[in-house]
Amino acid sequence: MSFAGQTAWITGASSGIGAALAKVLADQGARLVLSGRKVDALEAVAADCGGDCLVLPFETTDIAALAPAVAKAWDWSGAGIDLLVNNAGISQRSLAVETAYPVYQRIIDVDLLAPIALTQEILPRMAARKWGRLAYISSIAGKVGVPMRTAYCAAKFGLAGYADALRAETSVLGLKVHTIYPGSIRTDVSRNALTADGSARGASDSVIDNGIDPLVAAKWMADAMLADEREIIVAEGGEAKMGELRRTPDALFDQVAAMMAAGYAEKMKSEAQQ
């Protein structure tokens, strides 16, 4: 199994997990739409991937930019988008008691509202086609409250909740929804994290520096998506144990969610006929 011949759209594709996923998917023969803010970095990733790549830069929180971006990405290959990976995000390293409220607004805008907005724009197209995968890069901090990350945890927990509800609604349409929970991956996430006043931290953590290689993590994610795993924990050691402790048994959750979705669908259909 592979993503050969499919079109994958990755946000936050200029570095870290996004760039690694681009490489892994390209090696499998996927066409790529690469989005982020830094055009030069996106072009470098595209060159590294080779093959068919569309560099589509935009700011994920620019709501007005989403409709034209979706239209361009969808029409580019002539076959729509098979996989959307909502990866763009920003972390935090500050105590709640010291953190200015605008930091919460910024992180929740980027990590929660932006992927919701992009999904809502592309969802009608996928639903009409009755096929597509939607992936959300949450975090182990989206399962476990982690100190110095109150805004980040709030956003990532919220993203997981949105994905769970969306999965329940769209499974009958043939869509696949994957929530990915990375632990410590060797990226610049700590350097780019916001501090109490909203400035970038500019320094990494030892746990991140000794984390999983991004390409290894990306291959892990791609394989799990191809296996149709709904909840993908990409972590080792204590982080993996924390994630597993908060995992909902897939079969139980999906059965309950499917019954709820079917009930709501029948209710709406009945009301529409009245």
Side-chain angles (χ1 to χ4, degrees), residues 52-129:
D52 293 333
C53 291
L54 170 65
V55 171
L56 182 59
F58 71 100
E59 167 58 61
T60 57
T61 59
D62 182 0
I63 303 303
L66 297 185
V70 167
K72 187 171 184 178
W74 191 269
D75 294 341
W76 169 62
S77 69
I81 299 296
D82 298 291
L83 167 65
L84 171 64
V85 181
N86 288 279
N87 169 68
I90 188 167
S91 192
Q92 174 195 12
R93 296 294 186 275
S94 61
L95 294 170
V97 71
E98 299 172 351
T99 302
Y101 182 68
V103 174
Y104 285 87
Q105 291 179 307
R106 174 62 178 164
I107 290 174
I108 289 173
D109 278 349
V110 173
D111 291 10
L112 177 58
L113 296 181
I116 289 175
L118 182 56
T119 298
Q120 293 298 133
E121 192 64 47
I122 201 170
L123 188 58
R125 296 171 185 261
M126 283 189 170
R129 190 181 59 181

Side-chain angles (χ1 to χ4, degrees), residues 7-246:
T7 302
W9 185 5
I10 304 170
T11 67
S14 60
S15 63
I17 290 173
L21 265 173
K23 179 63 174 171
V24 166
L25 295 177
D27 287 348
Q28 292 187 7
R31 296 180 292 268
L32 298 175
V33 180
L34 305 176
S35 291
R37 294 177 298 167
K38 301 176 181 177
V39 177
D40 290 348
L42 290 172
E43 290 176 345
V45 172
D48 185 47
C49 290
D52 293 333
C53 291
L54 170 65
V55 171
L56 182 59
F58 71 100
E59 167 58 61
T60 57
T61 59
D62 182 0
I63 303 303
L66 297 185
V70 167
K72 187 171 184 178
W74 191 269
D75 294 341
W76 169 62
S77 69
I81 299 296
D82 298 291
L83 167 65
L84 171 64
V85 181
N86 288 279
N87 169 68
I90 188 167
S91 192
Q92 174 195 12
R93 296 294 186 275
S94 61
L95 294 170
V97 71
E98 299 172 351
T99 302
Y101 182 68
V103 174
Y104 285 87
Q105 291 179 307
R106 174 62 178 164
I107 290 174
I108 289 173
D109 278 349
V110 173
D111 291 10
L112 177 58
L113 296 181
I116 289 175
L118 182 56
T119 298
Q120 293 298 133
E121 192 64 47
I122 201 170
L123 188 58
R125 296 171 185 261
M126 283 189 170
R129 190 181 59 181
K130 298 193 175 183
W131 164 248
R133 296 182 186 272
L134 296 158
Y136 300 90
I137 306 296
S138 180
S139 169
I140 292 298
K143 281 189 169 292
V144 180
V146 181
M148 300 191 73
R149 294 162 179 79
T150 47
Y152 186 66
C153 288
K156 293 302 188 179
F157 267 81
L159 190 62
Y162 172 78
D164 280 353
L166 184 66
R167 183 183 301 108
E169 291 184 13
T170 60
S171 60
V172 294
L173 300 175
L175 305 190
K176 306 288 186 180
V177 178
H178 310 281
T179 313
I180 301 174
Y181 298 90
S184 295
I185 313 294
R186 203 155 59 241
T187 69
D188 287 333
V189 63
S190 295
R191 291 186 177 87
N192 297 330
L194 300 187
T195 59
D197 64 1
S199 60
R201 184 177 186 228
S204 191
D205 299 325
S206 61
V207 67
I208 295 294
D209 293 339
N210 293 294
I212 301 170
D213 180 275
L215 287 172
V216 172
K219 180 66 163 55
W220 189 337
M221 296 172 191
D223 289 348
M225 286 189 284
L226 287 170
D228 290 339
E229 293 184 24
R230 52 178 289 279
E231 189 171 278
I232 303 166
I233 296 172
V234 183
E236 297 175 332
E239 292 178 334
K241 290 178 181 178
M242 287 191 293
E244 292 296 339
L245 283 171
R246 291 293 183 91

